[in-house]
Amino acid sequence: PLRLKPASETKKIAPYFTEYIRVQMNQLQDSLQVNVYEDGLRIYTTLDTRIQRYMNMAVQTIMPEFQKRVRYKSSLQQRLHSRSDSTITDSLFNELTTVQIAFICLDPHSGHILAMIGGRDFDKYKYNRAIQAPRQPGSAFKPFVFTAAIDNGYSPADEFLNQPFVLINDDGTRWTPHNYENDVSGLMTLREALAGSKNLVTIRLIQEIGPSLVVDYAKRMGIKTNLRAVPSLALGSSEVYLLDMVSAFSVFSDNGIYFNPISITRIEDKTGNVIYQNRSPGREVLRPETAYVMNNLLQGVVNYGTGYSLRRDYQLTMPIGGKTGTTNEYTDAWFVGFTPHLSAGVWVGFDDPQLSLGRG
């Protein structure tokens, strides 16, 4: 007996990835002069179903409990539920206040997309937040500021004041940034500031090196969205895609080499002839010395900084680097990181950016 596996089982494992492949095939079929649905093509992808299953298990285990904790944290959400005009039904309220997730894992040494999750439930939400939803990255953007500085002669031991200050915006308004914990201190090294995700130090740093330089480095490392060259860029005020962020962080674990993320490696026709082949050629976007220093600094985030819960709560012992990110009003929560062999990133939040996950 052939024991064929129904296509529905594959879709169940990685529905967002499968849809991502289908969309790309629709885009390729004219240039390949094929009919995707009728020509019996064999499509080879980068998906690793083992990693995908672990990611699915994590979402299924953690997100329902997380949902219970955040549903009524925000006063805005409570106001949304208590609107007197009754335009918000219970079912619509539940949909609006469903905490969503995007999750991607890459091979940093090839750019292969190993696993992808674009939301809580593909049957309900076809929108793929991993590749279609631009969101503010918050402090997860800070490594680009530090990369630009390190690559231009700054040292992890250089010190900046962790003290409040006021900036006057172009429209004459005042901006008084503060740290996440509202703490202040004296001089602080760049290494300490990145590990502790200190906003005040990072803004002083971007003012010194210039926001335009940071934009150049982020673009070079794979960020494709429009980045506004303003001081608040240091705190992730410009929107990015999760896939771009994970690809960019891969540079730190691959000695400065960037690979464009790919999901299809080759396509064969029904007789076995290769009609399409796709390899992502790596290119050097950072000096190896800079990538090495940033790799080390980002390991500090996990070893004793804002990402320490990976060690404390999950007892992970392998080398890990990465960066946490939280946006204004606790709208978005991020972690993007890497081990020697994997790069991964996760975003959690509501589809409506006016709704807050709540502090903590």
Side-chain angles (χ1 to χ4, degrees), residues 25-80:
M25 289 303 301
N26 283 344
Q27 295 167 347
L28 284 170
Q29 66 178 353
D30 288 342
S31 61
L32 296 178
Q33 296 183 325
V34 296
N35 186 308
V36 172
Y37 303 99
E38 297 180 3
D39 286 358
L41 303 176
R42 185 171 293 172
I43 304 161
Y44 291 84
T45 77
T46 58
L47 182 73
D48 186 322
T49 54
R50 299 166 300 177
I51 294 175
Q52 184 71 51
R53 282 193 178 96
Y54 280 122
M55 283 170 53
N56 292 347
M57 286 166 55
V59 172
Q60 292 161 8
T61 302
I62 293 171
M63 292 306 291
E65 289 302 313
F66 187 62
Q67 179 73 57
K68 293 175 187 176
R69 295 209 309 271
V70 303
R71 185 179 291 277
Y72 293 104
K73 267 188 174 182
S74 167
S75 60
L76 178 59
Q77 285 160 242
Q78 292 176 35
R79 288 204 305 275
L80 188 68

Side-chain angles (χ1 to χ4, degrees), residues 96-160:
L96 289 172
T97 57
T98 295
V99 184
Q100 287 296 344
I101 185 167
F103 200 172
I104 277 187
C105 183
L106 297 179
D107 181 340
H109 310 301
S110 64
H112 286 190
I113 299 175
L114 302 176
M116 174 187 290
I117 290 175
R120 292 277 293 277
D121 185 340
F122 181 75
D123 291 334
K124 283 186 181 179
Y125 313 102
K126 300 294 190 287
Y127 184 47
N128 190 337
R129 295 153 188 85
I131 59 172
Q132 294 178 302
R135 301 292 294 228
Q136 291 184 333
S139 293
F141 193 85
K142 286 176 182 173
F144 299 112
V145 181
F146 284 74
T147 297
I150 296 296
D151 204 46
N152 285 273
Y154 286 76
S155 158
D158 287 340
E159 295 182 322
F160 284 76

